[in-house]
Amino acid sequence: MSGDNDFVVVANRLPVDLSTAADGTQTWSPSPGGLVAALSPVLEKHSGCWVGWPGVADAAPEPFHTEGGVLLHPVPLTAADYEAFYEGFSNATLWPLFHDLIVTPHYERAWWEVYRDVNERFAAEVDKVAAPGATVWVQDYQLLLVPGILRQTRPDLTIGFFLHIPFPGADLFRQLPWREEIVRGLLGADLIGFHLESYVANFLELVSQVAGPLGSRIGQPDTLIVEGTPATRRVGARITASDGRSVGVGAFPISIDPATLGAADDAAVEKLRAELGHPATVLLGVDRLDYTKGILQRLLAFEELLASGSLAPEDAVLVQIATPSRERLEHYRRTRSAVEEAVGRINGTFGTISRPVVHYFHRSLPKQQLQHYYRLADVMVVTPFKDGMNLVAKEYVACHGDGSGALVLSEFAGAGVELHQAHLCNPFDIDSIKRALLGAVRGFQWEPEAMAERMTAMYEQVTAHDVDLWAGSFLDCMREAGR
Ligand code: GDG
């Protein structure tokens, strides 16, 4: 079976929202997001289709076209699928394993069965909509088996895969009871993309191990060849899969669309600063409330700086926006409790009735408001234990083209490779976070010019390497790989 779409994106989530009117009528509408915006031009030009789960269990709209002519094609999931495929295998097995075991992954055979089944269903929906010879771009860790399934059912397709999270070292990955199936699934693609060259290296090492000592002749990496221009910065390698196909593997660091961050509304930013009581320094954290993001660690560092007097509670305010995420999972609940306990304790110790030192939001803010916070913040604090890239760091930098502000950034965020002028820290070491925070806060007085130079260099990097470049270089490479 095949459809008539020449370009298909398949992702766990369909970019749609369900809204319920006062009279109970439910309407599905497209929801804009970074990835959607980046891929819209290609989707619109090539009679494109997006295949994904609409985000509500046991409910799915009929396929519909956006105003730009993109077909949104839902894959329905039941509540039981959601539990085993999404919360279970994707987020309690793969997520912690791929983030270097910050918590212990669960290896549940029943979850794996459902993961495989749901991946088959995603692939079957792609089969329905993809025209003969179409290009299909599979996104992320929820769909690792889809390239391999499509390779079997639709050998006519050109298939790309991009992983948005880190790829762990081979020794960690080999814990996974289904490691060979997953590697085989990925090698169904013509091109596999990661954010960083180090993730590419981890994957190549894994392939050589799984293909060798573990006995299944999946493929052999051959020489590492450097391709592309400095603008695309991709390092390529080719693997020969067991069926003789050549599979490209490369680093494509994702980025943002600086244009969507727009011009700052100075009046709104000033109003926010006034509402905070005009502190000398506003520090900001913006994260999904996830145990990988190191939110507690930055709070502890801030608390110790207040306790030692290095920062004065009248001078410094930390705003933490923590978007609710995966709330039914135990480790997420525990992380939330620990974060909220720390916020309460810090405010109890250092706040006054009119002036908390930590402002904590456990909700998602409108993008426009988020932008005001980025613009307001003197110091952006990004301290993940492990992060594929981290777009928040890049968004902050894009809001400070005038050289203002400072970025404290974990060495373990993928963004650290490009944003190496940040105040880098080791989030496993509270003293290291404290040093980076103080370096940033004091830097404004001690070396303002050097601080501005650092921000300007990062701004240039982010604006020259935007999300269009990311999508364009992946798609160019995919077209070459599919030939
Ligand atoms: C995964 C990888 C990789 C956050 N709070 C609000 C809000 N956000 C937006 C940010 C940003 C996005 O969410 C978060 O992106 P990150 O990259 O920081 O992190 P993950 O969600 O973990 O993303 C990551 C990414 O995929 C892309 O490949 O960089 O490493 O883990 O865009 O702005 N947006 C709004 N309100 C909020 O309160 N509107």
Side-chain angles (χ1 to χ4, degrees), residues 85-120:
F85 154 75
Y86 183 73
E87 294 187 320
F89 198 78
S90 298
N91 288 316
T93 304
L94 295 176
W95 180 269
L97 177 66
F98 282 40
H99 287 87
D100 291 356
L101 317 185
I102 294 163
V103 306
T104 306
H106 288 280
Y107 300 122
E108 290 279 344
R109 280 171 283 192
W111 290 350
W112 161 250
E113 300 290 329
V114 180
Y115 181 84
R116 200 169 46 191
D117 179 61
V118 169
N119 270 242
E120 277 168 7

Side-chain angles (χ1 to χ4, degrees), residues 95 164-165 195 254 286 288 293 321 323 363-367 370 374 387-392 395:
W95 180 269
H164 289 262
I165 64 175
H195 289 303
I254 202 168
V286 175
R288 271 185 313 99
K293 302 286 185 183
I321 299 161
T323 316
R363 56 179 185 264
S364 180
L365 302 184
K367 196 95 203 169
L370 190 60
Y374 282 145
D387 214 331
M389 174 55 68
N390 195 288
L391 294 178
V392 164
E395 288 165 2

Side-chain angles (χ1 to χ4, degrees), residues 37-108:
L39 298 177
S40 285
V42 202
L43 283 161
E44 288 170 11
K45 191 164 144 209
H46 294 281
S47 139
C49 174
W50 188 300
V51 173
W53 175 56
V56 182
D58 299 309
E62 286 301 310
F64 68 101
H65 284 91
T66 63
E67 277 174 16
V70 177
L71 177 63
L72 300 182
H73 184 96
V75 183
L77 292 183
T78 65
D81 290 334
Y82 177 78
E83 231 172 90
F85 154 75
Y86 183 73
E87 294 187 320
F89 198 78
S90 298
N91 288 316
T93 304
L94 295 176
W95 180 269
L97 177 66
F98 282 40
H99 287 87
D100 291 356
L101 317 185
I102 294 163
V103 306
T104 306
H106 288 280
Y107 300 122
E108 290 279 344

Side-chain angles (χ1 to χ4, degrees), residues 437-477:
L437 288 174
L438 273 189
V441 172
R442 292 181 177 161
F444 293 122
Q445 287 139 28
W446 292 353
E447 41 170 19
E449 277 157 25
M451 294 280 285
E453 275 167 25
R454 290 164 81 154
M455 283 304 290
T456 306
M458 292 192 283
Y459 177 79
E460 280 165 8
Q461 169 67 28
V462 168
T463 45
H465 299 85
D466 64 4
V467 71
D468 284 342
L469 181 67
W470 169 77
S473 50
F474 188 92
L475 291 170
D476 285 351
C477 236

Side-chain angles (χ1 to χ4, degrees), residues 162-181:
F162 187 80
L163 186 71
H164 289 262
I165 64 175
F167 196 83
D171 279 356
L172 291 187
F173 188 93
R174 279 176 35 241
Q175 288 188 1
L176 189 64
W178 309 281
R179 57 199 184 186
E180 289 161 40
E181 287 94 328

